[in-house]
Amino acid sequence: TGSNALVDNANNAYKAALYSKAELTFDASNTGSLSVTGNKKHAIFGDSYVELDGGTIDIVNAASDGIHCDEFVMGAANLTVENTTGDCVDAENTITIGEKAGTINLTSTGDNSKGFNAASNVAVNGGTITMNLSGKGSKGIKTDAAPIDIAGGNTTINLTGTSYYMVSSGDDADTTFATGVKSDSSIYISGGILNISNAGVAGKALSTDANIVISGGTNTFTTTGTPLTVNYDNNVSSAVKADKNIEISAGTTIINV
């Protein structure tokens, strides 16, 4: 209960201001608030899962990730993450936003920063999520070799970052662009409200190396960024981009390019 604050310094021997080797749970009975500032590295680190079921958690600043953990589960808590150099929420496994999730507000100006970044699946089933990312090559929701499932909630992703160069010259030049939802696997949208606005150069709303399947929900995808030519490769803004199949069978989807 009450208002609480945790702040570490650059000499902290641990990876975060709030560090746990075991499961870290903010219980549903929690009615208090906690602000966390991570000056050493992360603000909150969990070697296992981090679950937010109650209370208000405010990540004020982080030298790296706002929350870094194995698994992240969002329940009926309220979460704000801002001023991160790394990702807002970074999971080495899965990210699950529950049907009864509270509000999530994520803000970052860091280059190549992600709102949600997971090595495995990201599932959004509820909550009110707002992401404002302005760093170069930022991603709202990103996974590696696992799908992204959006089945509920009200999610707004605003991106303004320009292109980001991983390698800036030579034949190996690799450029990544600001993207609302990006996966090396498939993207499935079956419900909820999803609004993505991307003003970044050659930005994308949805982008996947596999399939995009939209079977429900109310979706609005807007990309307004100008093209960019790199090594004779002309990159343009795309609202919905898939290397395999795009299937839209139900729901309402509005595309503005």
Side-chain angles (χ1 to χ4, degrees):
T1 61
S3 299
N4 308 276
L6 286 174
V7 181
D8 69 354
N9 59 47
N11 297 319
N12 184 1
Y14 296 95
K15 298 179 181 179
L18 177 55
Y19 176 89
S20 176
K21 284 189 174 183
E23 296 84 358
L24 179 60
T25 301
F26 289 75
D27 193 80
S29 63
N30 179 12
T31 59
S33 64
L34 175 66
S35 68
V36 187
T37 300
N39 290 309
K40 168 67 175 184
K41 193 173 183 180
H42 310 306
I44 296 176
F45 177 88
D47 220 11
S48 183
Y49 67 76
V50 171
E51 183 169 348
L52 309 183
D53 290 326
T56 299
I57 299 91
D58 184 6
I59 308 297
V60 178
N61 186 79
S64 186
D65 300 332
I67 298 176
H68 188 103
C69 56
D70 181 57
E71 298 181 27
F72 178 78
V73 180
M74 183 73 186
N78 298 302
L79 172 67
T80 298
V81 181
E82 53 191 343
N83 300 319
T84 63
T85 301
D87 302 326
C88 295
V89 178
D90 189 344
E92 297 179 13
N93 201 323
T94 61
I95 292 175
T96 303
I97 310 302
E99 294 181 3
K100 297 181 179 180
T103 60
I104 303 173
N105 294 296
L106 309 177
T107 304
S108 176
T109 60
D111 290 348
N112 205 27
S113 177
K114 293 90 176 175
F116 293 152
N117 186 40
S120 188
N121 173 253
V122 172
V124 178
N125 301 303
T128 300
I129 304 167
T130 303
M131 302 184 187
N132 291 294
L133 309 174
S134 59
K136 297 178 181 179
S138 296
K139 309 290 188 293
I141 303 173
K142 183 181 182 299
T143 63
D144 294 332
I148 295 171
D149 297 285
I150 299 175
N154 188 335
T155 302
T156 300
I157 301 173
N158 299 310
L159 300 147
T160 56
T162 58
S163 60
Y164 179 80
Y165 296 88
M166 303 299 291
V167 181
S168 60
S169 63
D171 294 336
D172 294 329
D174 186 14
T175 310
T176 184
F177 302 96
T179 307
V181 178
K182 173 73 172 73
S183 177
D184 294 342
S185 183
S186 294
I187 298 170
Y188 300 97
I189 301 172
S190 60
I193 300 171
L194 176 60
N195 297 308
I196 300 175
S197 175
N198 192 343
V201 170
K204 312 291 187 286
L206 306 180
S207 179
T208 174
D209 295 344
N211 304 300
I212 293 174
V213 179
I214 300 175
S215 60
T218 301
N219 312 294
T220 303
F221 308 132
T222 302
T223 58
T224 58
T226 56
L228 178 69
T229 301
V230 180
N231 288 353
Y232 305 103
D233 184 13
N234 189 37
N235 301 279
V236 298
S237 294
S238 302
V240 182
K241 178 182 179 295
D243 287 355
K244 293 185 179 179
N245 301 312
I246 296 172
E247 176 185 331
I248 302 175
S249 61
T252 300
T253 298
I254 300 170
I255 295 174
N256 304 300
V257 180

